[in-house]
């Protein structure tokens, strides 16, 4: 039975990334069309050539396209961490080489990615609190990859706040400070800076965990954790 | 009047005949040069058939093919000693027989047609300006992704019903590799591409500094979600470039 289906999407995925791409749909009559504002008709020969030459990424198992004008959302298998699959029961994802793909309305994809960005912020903040700075940076960047309307987004400000806090702890905040000044509007820049400041204050208040001290300390001595705290 | 129409290159494809993805965030962050090696099979065959050297390919003002993750727009006066040439159509499409018209049915016909149209690199702007003025209602029509000539020509290339953009896009070829950001007017990339490039650049301060400089000068622009298509964003920026600084000869 012939159905309308998504057979490919625009370009090539970013390794370790996630995003939204224009879909290429095969219609029931065998014609091909791209989705999005610039809907273009394509010849079958063109589509085959574009796939073969690498201009577009073929979807391994075509997806039935009930929506006439959706987008393809993709997420690389290493989007969160290498080797860690992202479970999301709100959306059906299809394996497609190194990425998973799904086809949905642009607004729905935007909402879904905003959820991912919020989750990334929570995880990044937790990693920062635990002083796991590499993880905090990675998670914050993943959130920024998928935050809608990034320049004016409070969520983006908080994610940049995590990056700024980790860079400050490492003694080199200049680059991130400059980046967020370029990427965010003025209001969000202030939010990012105050997010970072709050995170740094919280980090200083963190009580030393006696179980992680690598040298013996006599209970009751001046170096004992409780007294130090 | 000689137009200043930027030279456009759409990158980020995984050609079957090229060993690596033509543009990745890591290559972008490191300013890896544009390589002649990164061209598709049709371009290689066309070079062989038409007697070209291995080339870097650009379209004047057209972010086409529509498919790619990274749109690079260069100032139209390449500050290079590289040799090159230009035609008023896509030579890969011509070689494959995708461009229809009278007297274009055999490889020999197509070679003869190309030789007639061929223009040296240093004359491409004047030639393209005259050609666009002669065949399009305005420069804006030419810059539209679906822009069409306002009349056909004796060979019917410009009026043939089966022809599309590739049949009337000025192609410029440079014979050699060159710097990614040399003469860059602007680049349009996806949000995740830019974030990944920024992330990767942090380990090399000079790379990070360069990216931030380009971002600050708005020479790198991201397509922020929920928008998805760098080529679409590029059309507006190309028109703006031509409108603000493209009218007069330099």
């Amino acid at each position: 039975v012939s159905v309308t289906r998504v057979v490919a999407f625009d370009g090539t995925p970013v390794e370790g990334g996630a995003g939204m791409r224009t879909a290429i749909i095969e219609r029931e009559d065998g014609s091909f069309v791209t989705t999005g504002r610039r809907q273009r008709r394509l010849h079958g020969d063109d589509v085959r050539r574009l796939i073969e030459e690498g201009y577009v990424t073929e979807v391994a198992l075509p997806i039935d396209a009930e929506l006439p004008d959706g987008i393809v959302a993709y997420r690389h298998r290493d989007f969160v961490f290498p080797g860690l699959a992202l479970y999301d029961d709100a959306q059906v994802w299809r394996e497609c080489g190194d990425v998973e793909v799904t086809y949905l309305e642009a607004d729905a994809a935007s909402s879904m990615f905003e959820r991912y960005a919020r989750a990334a912020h929570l995880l990044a903040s937790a990693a920062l609190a635990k002083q796991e700075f590499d993880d905090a940076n990675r998670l914050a960047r993943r959130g920024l990859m998928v935050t809608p309307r990034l320049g004016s987004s409070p969520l983006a400000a908080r994610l940049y706040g995590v990056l700024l806090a980790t860079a400050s702890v490492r003694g080199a905040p200049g680059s991130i400070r400059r980046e967020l000044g370029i990427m965010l509007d003025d209001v969000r820049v202030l939010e990012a800076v105050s997010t970072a400041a709050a995170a740094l204050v919280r980090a200083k208040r963190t009580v030393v965990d006696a179980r992680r001290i690598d040298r013996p300390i006599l209970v009751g001595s001046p170096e004992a954790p409780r007294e130090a705290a | 009047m000689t137009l200043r129409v930027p030279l456009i290159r759409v990158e980020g494809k995984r050609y079957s005949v090229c060993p690596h993805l033509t543009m990745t965030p890591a290559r972008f962050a490191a300013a890896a040069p544009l390589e002649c090696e990164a061209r598709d099979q049709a371009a290689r065959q066309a070079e062989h058939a038409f007697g070209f050297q291995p080339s870097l390919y650009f379209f004047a003002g057209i972010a086409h093919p529509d498919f790619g993750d990274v749109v690079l727009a260069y100032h139209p006066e390449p500050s290079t000693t590289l040799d090159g040439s230009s035609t008023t159509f896509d030579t890969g499409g011509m070689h494959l027989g995708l461009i229809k018209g009278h007297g274009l049915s055999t490889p020999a016909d197509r070679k003869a047609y190309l030789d007639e149209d061929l223009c040296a690199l240093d004359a491409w702007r004047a030639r393209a300006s005259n050609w666009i003025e002669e065949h399009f209602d305005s420069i804006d029509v030419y810059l539209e992704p679906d822009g069409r000539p306002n009349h056909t020509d004796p060979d019917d290339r410009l009026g043939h019903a089966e022809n599309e953009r590739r049949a009337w896009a000025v192609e410029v070829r440079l014979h050699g590799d060159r710097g990614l950001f040399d003469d860059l007017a602007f680049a349009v990339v996806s949000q995740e591409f830019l974030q990944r490039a920024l992330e990767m650049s942090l380990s090399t301060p000079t790379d990070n500094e360069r990216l931030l400089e380009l971002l600050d000068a708005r020479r790198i622009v991201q397509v922020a979600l929920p928008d998805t298509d760098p080529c679409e964003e590029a059309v507006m920026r190309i028109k703006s470039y031509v409108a603000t600084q493209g009218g007069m000869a330099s």
Side-chain angles (χ1 to χ4, degrees):
Chain A
V1 177
S2 174
V3 293
T4 301
R5 56 199 198 140
V6 179
V7 295
F9 62 92
D10 176 1
T12 47
V14 171
E15 190 175 343
M20 291 155 59
R21 297 296 169 83
T22 301
I24 299 175
I25 288 180
E26 182 179 12
R27 289 175 166 162
E28 290 183 27
D29 62 5
S31 64
F32 293 86
V33 66
T34 63
T35 59
R37 268 180 283 179
R38 280 171 57 187
Q39 293 199 348
R40 291 183 62 237
R41 281 182 161 276
L42 296 168
H43 298 296
D45 287 348
D46 268 347
V47 173
R48 275 184 286 281
R49 187 178 66 82
L50 291 168
I51 290 171
E52 282 171 12
E53 294 288 5
Y55 289 88
V56 300
T57 302
E58 185 174 23
V59 175
L61 283 172
I63 303 169
D64 288 353
E66 292 172 10
L67 298 166
D69 189 23
I71 58 95
V72 168
Y74 81 89
R75 58 185 197 193
H76 192 270
R77 64 181 174 189
D78 296 337
F79 175 56
V80 183
F81 285 110
L84 181 66
L86 175 59
Y87 180 72
D88 176 7
D89 62 2
Q91 190 67 36
V92 177
W93 292 83
R94 296 273 189 92
E95 294 278 343
C96 179
D98 289 342
V99 298
E100 293 176 302
V101 295
T102 189
Y103 178 71
L104 67 177
E105 284 181 342
D107 285 349
S110 197
S111 301
M112 176 184 73
F113 278 140
E114 189 162 5
R115 274 194 293 117
Y116 285 11
R118 287 187 191 288
H121 174 248
L122 286 174
L123 292 168
S125 300
L128 175 62
K130 291 169 71 179
Q131 301 191 22
E132 291 169 352
F133 300 123
D134 287 344
D135 288 352
N137 278 340
R138 180 183 174 91
L139 290 159
R141 282 286 179 195
R142 296 305 170 278
L144 288 167
M145 282 182 185
V146 293
T147 303
R149 292 165 285 277
L150 185 132
S152 58
S153 163
L155 180 55
R158 293 200 292 275
L159 288 159
Y160 265 116
V162 172
L163 290 180
L164 183 59
T166 59
S168 300
V169 169
R170 287 173 161 169
S175 175
I176 295 298
R177 180 70 182 79
R178 185 173 176 201
E179 181 185 325
L180 69 91
I182 295 167
M183 302 294 284
L184 303 178
D185 64 31
D186 291 348
V187 174
R188 302 308 167 206
V189 168
L190 292 175
E191 285 181 20
V193 172
S194 52
T195 298
L200 291 171
V201 168
R202 274 198 301 275
K204 282 194 173 173
R205 283 189 194 138
T206 305
V207 176
V208 175
D209 183 346
R211 290 167 300 182
R212 300 180 72 166
I213 294 175
D214 61 358
R215 57 196 164 86
I217 294 175
L218 295 174
V219 174
S221 82
E223 289 183 278
R226 282 188 188 173
E227 290 180 24
Chain B
M1 183 171 71
T2 306
L3 294 168
R4 295 190 73 237
V5 180
L7 296 174
I8 310 298
R9 186 172 168 90
V10 182
E11 283 277 2
K13 304 146 194 166
R14 192 185 298 279
Y15 293 133
S16 52
V17 291
C18 183
H20 53 72
L21 193 60
T22 61
M23 185 57 63
T24 61
R27 290 174 64 80
F28 190 76
L34 298 176
E35 294 176 331
C36 294
E37 186 63 22
R39 63 203 195 283
D40 66 13
Q41 189 66 18
R44 288 163 194 255
Q45 291 170 351
E47 286 168 0
H48 182 72
F50 296 144
F52 295 152
Q53 293 177 41
S55 304
L56 290 175
Y57 290 81
F58 304 84
F59 281 123
I62 307 297
H64 185 90
D66 292 23
F67 305 102
D69 309 313
V70 180
V71 180
L72 302 166
Y74 294 93
H75 295 300
E77 309 86 1
S79 60
T80 173
T81 54
L82 293 174
D83 198 5
S85 62
S86 172
T87 46
T88 58
F89 50 82
D90 167 37
T91 50
M94 177 62 79
H95 169 71
L96 291 173
L98 298 174
I99 297 176
K100 312 292 185 191
H102 303 315
L104 294 177
S105 51
T106 70
D109 291 342
R110 295 194 276 270
K111 172 79 166 78
Y113 191 87
L114 176 128
D115 288 343
E116 189 75 17
D117 191 80
L118 202 61
C119 164
L121 181 66
D122 57 5
W124 88 264
R125 282 183 52 213
R127 199 291 174 87
S129 298
N130 291 337
W131 183 79
I132 291 168
E133 190 178 350
E134 188 178 341
H135 295 289
F136 292 82
D137 286 339
S138 67
I139 179 64
D140 271 2
V141 173
Y142 170 79
L143 295 174
E144 277 293 326
D146 302 319
R148 297 187 73 96
N150 53 17
H151 62 273
T152 191
D153 50 355
D155 308 302
D156 198 33
R157 166 170 65 105
L158 303 180
H160 198 287
E162 288 182 39
N163 283 347
E164 48 87 66
R165 187 73 244 193
R166 277 174 295 196
W168 46 79
V170 174
E171 180 184 279
V172 176
R173 296 170 293 277
L174 294 181
H175 300 160
D177 299 349
R178 67 186 316 243
L180 175 63
F181 297 126
D182 293 353
D183 302 318
L184 182 79
F186 58 87
V188 187
V189 300
S190 67
Q191 182 169 325
E192 73 269 25
F193 185 98
L194 179 58
Q195 285 295 330
R196 190 82 174 109
L198 286 165
E199 180 181 37
M200 298 182 102
S201 74
L202 285 169
S203 58
T204 312
T206 51
D207 289 351
N208 184 253
E209 177 72 15
R210 182 175 51 242
L211 279 187
L212 292 178
E213 288 285 341
L214 290 164
L215 272 168
D216 207 11
R218 301 197 56 74
R219 289 171 64 201
I220 297 176
V221 181
Q222 70 166 349
V223 177
L225 295 178
D227 290 330
T228 58
D229 189 350
C231 287
E232 200 168 284
E233 174 70 22
V235 172
M236 289 181 281
R237 291 186 179 273
I238 292 165
K239 284 185 174 180
S240 170
Y241 179 98
V242 174
T244 55
Q245 52 177 307
M248 302 302 290
S250 59

